[in-house]
Amino acid sequence: MSSKDNKNIIGPSIMNSIHERLKIGSWKLNVETGVYTIDNVTCDILQIPHTTVLQRGKKMPFKRTEDTVLKVETGLKKTIEQGVPFDHELEFVTEKGNTIWLHVLGNSQFKDGKCTEILGVIQDISDKKSAQEAILHQNRLFDLAGQKAKLAHWYWDFQNNHFLGSKFLCEVLGIPEGAKFNLETLLKDIPSDNLAYVKEQIETNINNKTFESFYHRIICADGSERIAEVIGDIYTDSNGNITHIIGISQDVSNYKNIQAELIKKNELLAFAEQKAQIGHWQWNTITDQVFWSDHLYHIFEKEPNSNLQFSSYFNSVHPEDQPIVKLHIEDSIKKKSFDSITHRIVLEDNSIKWIQLLAEIVFNETGEVQMMMGTCQDITKSKLAQNELLNKNKLLDYAEEITKMGNWQWDLSTNNVKWSANLYRIYEHEENAPITFQTYFDYIHEEDKPKVTEKVEILLKDKSFERLVHRIVLKDGTIKTVELLGTVIVDEFGRAIEMLGTLQDISEQRAEEMKFKALLETAPNATLILDKDNIIQMINLQAERLFGYTTQELVGESIDLLIPSRYDEKRAPLRDSFYANPEIKTYNFSEDLYMYDKQKSEIPVEVTLGPLQLEGGFLLSVVVRDITAEKDYQTKILKAKEELEVLTQELTEQNQQLADFTQITSHNLRAPVSNLNSLLEIFNMTDDEEERRELFKKFESVIGNLTLTLNTLIESLTTKSDTSKEQNLVSFSEVLSKTEEIFAAEILQTKAEIKSDFSQVDSMICHKIYMESIFQNLIGNALKYRSEERNPQIEVTSEMKNGEVILKFKDNGLGIDLKRHGHKIFGLNKVFHNHPEAKGIGLFMTKTQIVAMGGTISVSSKVNEGTTFSIQFI
């Protein structure tokens, strides 16, 4: 039998301490296996190691007399078979040869009518036996003294004032046997500090003529000190005068020592009860007399030593708990054993306490309840703490569930692992199933297992735990990313014995982090992430390329490293303004802004600041755009614009000669110039470097096409009016491509989609300027009169039918009400929509140009569905 399970059979630690002092141990016998379970106190009493295993019928690590063996086996048999309580005083001899006497008590525990185990207590009564033996010895001595005149007794001849003593007393006093001696001789071995008290007691007895026994100390020949009890009787004559006194002196040292020890233990018990908030009680169920210890009165806040009955206790029980307590007592009497019960009591001031009740039931020979005894412990504080702990555990479980976090403990000696409820949920593992380190390790992603193994080996070696992020694979194949935090517990030798910590599911956070990093890396411009102190926390690849620094060189440095100091004075108020109202904003310094690269060369830039919101505040996103190429392009654009204005002025003056060409020139130049301005506006609005490069290509294309158109118009003014000399082979697809370039800005702004099909016929001999003007007018109108409810869709197709070339321009725009406007649709200065840019010239010019080239034009349209223009060339 082992003492490892003693927590199952002994009380709280405080009671255990009391039992140790009183030498009271606990034991349990498993009837089926014959194995005893004993606590450490029992082991100490038997003087055997705490790890000793005892089994019924096996050799014991101590000796037992035949009488003891017989009492044990006979008593256990009655207890097992008949349920008779085991109650015997037994003699043992320890392995060290010490004889000890034990008072052993036990009660049987029945299940389904069969005794399954015996629970009991064991008390060392060796001192009590010694005291009894001492008394027996004294009685034997007294009998022997009476028989042989060796009793330490004396006779005081009061009238002659001399003493006679027994043989034994004379030997003690060192005088001849039968010699007379006086009172001083009798008292000579009493210590001086006790002598006055003894004389006072003798004088009192003489005055009262009644002998009251008293105690005094005596110094023996060997120098030891003993305690003697003096018992006597006073005899008087017929006149009441004392004639003689007879007395006996008895050595009661052992008894007095036991008495003193008992008083001391009672004081310790009272102190322990006070500290442990425990009181003990006895209830005589026959007389209904109740005894309470002093501290039990204190717990129930009743007047000490007041008259008590069972009702005194029961009436204090909380009304809601009274039925439970009553039923528990009745059941305990029926099964002849009392289990612990916890309930509430109500004090006189209506305050409530929690009580834990323990008891033993004593039956008489007929099986009737004779007495109940036990303890009551005030567990109010622990109960409140327990409730508070339960509430905190609930809050912890809720917090863990909200934060997707769980806690764990790993016992390195047993390899057992404990998980919190939410940790089971994170792993989608069966809750409360046994967990070991291997359970956790099996969930780790195969690619991450080497990293985790290395980290575990390092922490076991260095006794320190670093943050560990890795992936786990659930049973259904789901992959999660978790963050592991922990601490290592070491013993007094510095050996790691336990680890504990938290594990958090950061899958969503990790995904967002990866998205952010990916987004940062794909950003077209250099981006730096700063903290509130302007320290760089992160940069992207574009920043490395722009400034020439590596990530390791810039992260952790101040942004001041990249900004010339001449901007410091202007930066401060702009920075304060941003933190006061953090929003995305592009900042300028009323002058060109430059930043340093690694070589300290200055780069013209445009800077945009934006906040990155965090729980505790925000980080600062700094987007830096290199505008070196833009500055070059702006110079070219301004120069081209100036040249364009000069050419336009010259062309306007020359076109005064031909009214028709004036209208053509005015209409055709308005769209590309407007488009050029739109492109410039888009250019200034966009931050995308790649988009800006594309816009510059369109600038060059538009400017080139416009220049070519102007030069062609200027050249056409100097020629004859014979259009046949100006006609040549014109490609529809090339004209459409040129038109798309002219309207590039508007196409981007409106998200227009232009489709074409020139598979049947892609070219014809015609006037190129006219054909370009036709494409520009019809496509321009489709973009201008688009529906706000949908993106523009334009289809341009060609076909050959009966030797005629047919061009069709179809859109999904606002459409034209032909019933109202069909008769004037190609008239000069006729408009059909309230559009601010409608002039009524485009369709007039288009029809004039088509007719000049020998063609016809027709229109079909539905309001809010779209319009189709059909052109036929013979």
Side-chain angles (χ1 to χ4, degrees):
M1 168 177 88
S2 171
S3 61
K4 293 181 179 178
D5 300 327
N6 56 23
K7 63 181 180 181
N8 297 321
I9 61 171
I10 64 175
S13 59
I14 297 298
M15 286 301 298
N16 193 32
S17 176
I18 296 172
H19 289 170
E20 287 180 355
R21 292 180 178 274
L22 298 179
K23 294 185 178 180
I24 299 176
S26 303
W27 62 276
K28 178 174 70 176
L29 171 62
N30 186 313
V31 175
E32 182 178 354
T33 63
V35 174
Y36 289 89
T37 300
I38 60 177
D39 64 0
N40 292 342
V41 177
T42 302
C43 292
D44 293 339
I45 292 173
L46 294 173
Q47 300 178 19
I48 58 178
H50 291 179
T51 57
T52 302
V53 175
L54 303 181
Q55 188 167 4
R56 187 181 177 194
K58 301 290 184 178
K59 184 179 180 181
M60 299 293 180
F62 44 78
K63 296 179 181 179
R64 296 178 291 177
T65 65
E66 292 182 1
D67 182 60
T68 295
V69 173
L70 181 61
K71 285 182 179 179
V72 170
E73 290 305 316
T74 303
L76 288 178
K77 185 177 180 181
K78 289 183 178 180
T79 302
I80 294 171
E81 295 177 355
Q82 305 173 23
V84 177
F86 188 96
D87 186 352
H88 292 285
E89 292 183 356
L90 305 173
E91 183 180 13
F92 295 86
V93 179
T94 68
E95 287 187 334
K96 297 180 180 179
N98 299 322
T99 299
I100 57 175
W101 278 88
L102 305 179
H103 187 190
V104 183
L105 299 171
N107 281 321
S108 56
Q109 303 292 310
F110 282 82
K111 184 176 182 183
D112 299 329
K114 182 180 179 181
C115 179
T116 58
E117 60 183 11
I118 300 175
L119 302 178
V121 295
I122 183 170
Q123 183 177 19
D124 185 352
I125 59 172
S126 301
D127 290 343
K128 175 184 174 183
K129 277 292 184 180
S130 297
Q132 291 174 348
E133 289 296 326
I135 293 172
L136 290 174
H137 181 64
Q138 291 293 338
N139 288 337
R140 292 191 192 102
L141 288 177
F142 186 82
D143 292 339
L144 184 62
Q147 293 175 2
K148 298 182 178 182
K150 293 183 179 180
L151 181 64
H153 62 272
W154 46 264
Y155 176 88
W156 186 2
D157 185 343
F158 195 76
Q159 292 179 342
N160 299 313
N161 195 23
H162 66 259
F163 286 80
L164 291 174
S166 66
K167 180 179 180 181
F168 177 71
L169 181 60
C170 291
E171 291 176 357
V172 171
L173 295 176
I175 60 176
E177 183 179 354
K180 297 178 181 179
F181 55 90
N182 55 26
L183 181 62
E184 283 71 21
T185 301
L186 181 64
L187 303 181
K188 71 181 183 67
D189 292 328
I190 297 175
S192 58
D193 61 341
N194 194 206
L195 186 59
Y197 165 77
V198 173
K199 288 181 176 180
E200 181 182 350
Q201 293 299 313
I202 294 173
E203 184 178 351
T204 300
N205 288 338
I206 292 173
N207 292 334
N208 294 334
K209 296 181 181 180
T210 302
F211 200 103
E212 295 290 341
S213 64
F214 60 91
Y215 299 91
H216 66 82
R217 290 175 289 138
I218 186 172
I219 304 299
C220 299
D222 61 1
S224 62
E225 186 175 280
R226 307 292 290 176
I227 297 176
E229 180 182 13
V230 180
I231 303 172
D233 201 1
I234 298 177
Y235 296 87
T236 60
D237 58 17
S238 58
N239 297 321
N241 298 318
I242 297 175
T243 58
H244 62 276
I245 301 174
I246 297 175
I248 299 173
S249 292
Q250 181 179 6
D251 185 352
V252 294
S253 302
N254 290 338
Y255 168 76
K256 274 297 185 179
N257 290 337
I258 292 173
Q259 189 179 47
E261 185 67 21
L262 183 59
I263 293 172
K264 181 179 179 182
K265 287 182 178 180
N266 285 336
E267 291 175 349
L268 288 174
L269 177 60
F271 176 75
E273 285 189 348
Q274 180 181 356
K275 290 298 181 183
Q277 289 294 298
I278 293 176
H280 64 272
W281 53 270
Q282 293 180 7
W283 173 34
N284 188 321
T285 57
I286 299 175
T287 64
D288 198 29
Q289 290 181 335
V290 176
F291 164 78
W292 279 8
S293 67
D294 290 343
H295 198 70
L296 195 55
Y297 283 103
H298 176 75
I299 291 173
F300 280 75
E301 297 185 4
K302 291 184 178 294
E303 191 68 28
N305 300 318
S306 57
N307 188 28
L308 298 173
Q309 290 84 33
F310 175 76
S311 59
S312 305
Y313 164 79
F314 191 75
N315 291 338
S316 297
V317 177
H318 194 287
E320 295 177 3
D321 294 350
Q322 285 182 358
I324 301 173
V325 174
K326 182 179 179 182
L327 181 62
H328 186 81
I329 293 175
E330 292 174 352
D331 289 344
S332 299
I333 293 174
K334 288 180 181 179
K335 66 180 184 180
K336 299 183 179 181
S337 65
F338 196 101
D339 297 326
S340 170
I341 181 173
T342 299
H343 65 82
R344 294 165 293 174
I345 61 172
V346 182
L347 306 182
E348 291 184 1
D349 61 359
N350 291 323
S351 60
I352 294 175
K353 286 185 179 181
W354 281 90
I355 297 296
Q356 184 179 43
L357 179 65
L358 294 171
E360 288 281 348
I361 304 176
V362 179
F363 300 89
N364 59 19
E365 295 178 354
T366 62
E368 294 177 332
V369 179
Q370 183 175 351
M371 182 178 291
M372 293 182 67
M373 61 185 70
T375 61
C376 283
Q377 183 176 15
D378 181 359
I379 59 170
T380 306
K381 289 184 179 179
S382 62
K383 193 69 176 178
L384 294 176
Q386 182 182 10
N387 292 337
E388 184 179 0
L389 181 61
L390 289 174
N391 291 333
K392 287 183 178 179
N393 285 337
K394 289 179 181 178
L395 289 174
L396 177 61
D397 289 342
Y398 178 72
E400 285 190 347
E401 187 173 354
I402 293 297
T403 59
K404 294 185 177 181
M405 182 181 292
N407 64 80
W408 53 270
Q409 299 177 31
W410 179 18
D411 188 329
L412 298 176
S413 60
T414 64
N415 198 32
N416 288 332
V417 177
K418 292 183 181 178
W419 280 3
S420 67
N422 201 51
L423 200 52
Y424 280 100
R425 288 192 285 269
I426 291 173
Y427 277 81
E428 298 180 11
H429 194 83
E430 181 183 355
E431 191 164 352
N432 297 324
I435 299 294
T436 64
F437 176 77
Q438 190 61 41
T439 309
Y440 154 74
F441 193 77
D442 288 342
Y443 276 103
I444 298 173
H445 195 288
E446 287 296 328
E447 296 177 2
D448 292 351
K449 284 184 177 179
K451 175 178 68 175
V452 175
T453 301
E454 181 183 0
K455 286 286 186 181
V456 171
E457 290 175 351
I458 291 175
L459 70 90
L460 289 175
K461 178 182 177 182
D462 298 340
K463 311 300 186 299
S464 61
F465 198 105
E466 296 181 358
R467 170 180 177 269
L468 177 59
V469 176
H470 65 80
R471 293 165 294 173
I472 60 173
V473 182
L474 306 188
K475 292 178 180 179
D476 63 359
T478 302
I479 298 178
K480 292 183 178 181
T481 302
V482 298
E483 180 181 47
L484 198 65
L485 295 173
T487 184
V488 181
I489 307 299
V490 298
D491 60 14
E492 64 271 20
F493 303 106
R495 294 173 300 196
I497 58 174
E498 186 180 9
M499 287 197 301
L500 49 96
T502 61
L503 182 141
Q504 184 177 17
D505 179 2
I506 60 170
S507 303
E508 294 181 4
Q509 175 185 339
R510 194 71 167 180
E512 292 300 321
E513 206 174 281
M514 297 302 292
K515 285 182 183 178
F516 177 73
K517 287 185 177 180
L519 182 63
L520 195 63
E521 289 300 337
T522 56
N525 295 313
T527 304
L528 304 96
I529 307 300
L530 313 180
D531 64 13
K532 63 179 181 179
D533 297 320
N534 285 335
I535 301 302
I536 300 171
Q537 303 296 314
M538 187 185 300
I539 66 171
N540 65 355
L541 185 60
Q542 294 297 334
E544 291 185 10
R545 292 172 178 171
L546 178 62
F547 297 111
Y549 289 98
T550 65
T551 298
Q552 292 76 13
E553 290 174 327
L554 276 185
V555 171
E557 298 291 336
S558 172
I559 188 66
D560 296 341
L561 177 68
L562 305 175
I563 302 177
S565 59
R566 64 177 180 271
Y567 298 112
D568 290 349
E569 186 175 346
K570 294 182 178 180
R571 283 174 59 205
L574 292 176
R575 183 170 58 247
D576 295 341
S577 173
F578 173 81
Y579 280 109
N581 184 24
E583 59 181 1
I584 299 175
K585 186 175 181 181
T586 301
Y587 287 84
N588 64 72
F589 290 76
S590 302
E591 60 175 298
D592 291 338
L593 175 62
Y594 292 85
M595 294 181 72
Y596 286 135
D597 62 12
K598 190 174 182 179
Q599 306 302 323
K600 291 301 178 183
S601 300
E602 292 193 356
I603 307 168
V605 296
E606 181 181 78
V607 174
T608 301
L609 304 183
L612 292 176
Q613 295 294 335
L614 299 175
E615 290 185 4
F618 60 84
L619 295 176
L620 177 63
S621 171
V622 180
V623 179
V624 181
R625 187 166 63 85
D626 182 0
I627 60 172
T628 303
E630 179 184 331
K631 282 188 167 295
D632 294 340
Y633 292 149
Q634 285 179 340
T635 301
K636 291 180 181 179
I637 291 170
L638 292 174
K639 184 177 180 181
K641 187 176 180 182
E642 291 174 358
E643 293 176 354
L644 182 60
E645 290 173 350
V646 172
L647 289 174
T648 302
Q649 180 64 30
E650 293 178 354
L651 185 61
T652 301
E653 293 175 356
Q654 294 178 7
N655 280 349
Q656 294 299 321
Q657 301 174 20
L658 299 173
D660 189 30
F661 271 90
T662 302
Q663 293 290 350
I664 294 173
T665 303
S666 174
H667 185 272
N668 286 3
L669 288 181
R670 187 186 306 112
V673 170
S674 175
N675 188 44
L676 191 61
N677 286 328
S678 296
L679 286 173
L680 182 59
E681 182 180 354
I682 294 173
F683 179 88
N684 289 328
M685 290 175 62
T686 185
D687 292 334
D688 191 295
E689 194 62 28
E690 189 64 29
E691 188 176 349
R692 283 174 173 253
R693 293 192 185 96
E694 291 298 322
L695 287 173
F696 276 112
K697 291 180 182 179
K698 295 184 184 300
F699 276 131
E700 293 172 348
S701 177
V702 172
I703 293 170
N705 289 328
L706 185 56
T707 302
L708 178 60
T709 300
L710 290 174
N711 290 335
T712 303
L713 286 172
I714 293 171
E715 180 180 356
S716 67
L717 290 176
T718 62
T719 62
K720 305 285 186 174
S721 60
D722 185 5
T723 59
S724 63
K725 294 183 179 179
E726 300 171 346
Q727 294 183 352
N728 47 34
L729 188 64
V730 177
S731 169
F732 298 146
S733 56
E734 290 179 0
V735 174
L736 178 59
S737 177
K738 180 178 179 181
T739 304
E740 288 176 336
E741 291 174 351
I742 292 173
F743 290 102
E746 199 164 353
I747 291 171
L748 288 173
Q749 289 177 331
T750 62
K751 299 181 179 178
E753 181 180 5
I754 300 178
K755 297 181 179 179
S756 63
D757 183 4
F758 303 123
S759 58
Q760 292 190 29
V761 55
D762 184 41
S763 61
M764 63 175 286
I765 296 175
C766 63
H767 196 296
K768 184 177 182 180
I769 298 297
Y770 284 178
M771 185 59 72
E772 291 177 350
S773 178
I774 291 167
F775 270 67
Q776 291 176 26
N777 275 321
L778 294 181
I779 291 177
N781 282 348
L783 293 171
K784 183 186 303 180
Y785 303 112
R786 64 187 178 275
S787 172
E788 296 298 329
E789 299 175 357
R790 51 191 175 270
N791 294 335
Q793 291 186 349
I794 304 170
E795 296 179 10
V796 184
T797 61
S798 67
E799 60 178 325
M800 182 69 73
K801 190 174 183 180
N802 300 325
E804 296 180 349
V805 176
I806 300 175
L807 277 175
K808 289 185 178 180
F809 294 79
K810 181 180 178 182
D811 65 60
N812 65 341
L814 297 173
I816 303 171
D817 189 348
L818 295 179
K819 290 182 180 180
R820 295 179 58 191
H821 306 297
H823 63 286
K824 58 179 181 179
I825 194 168
F826 296 107
L828 183 63
N829 296 324
K830 303 300 182 182
V831 295
F832 317 112
H833 298 284
N834 295 324
H835 196 284
E837 294 182 11
K839 305 297 182 181
I841 297 174
L843 290 180
F844 171 80
M845 292 175 55
T846 298
K847 183 175 181 180
T848 300
Q849 293 163 351
I850 291 171
V851 172
M853 292 190 292
T856 60
I857 182 171
S858 61
V859 60
S860 63
S861 181
K862 289 185 179 181
V863 175
N864 204 32
E865 289 188 15
T867 303
T868 301
F869 289 93
S870 298
I871 304 172
Q872 294 179 329
F873 292 102
I874 302 174

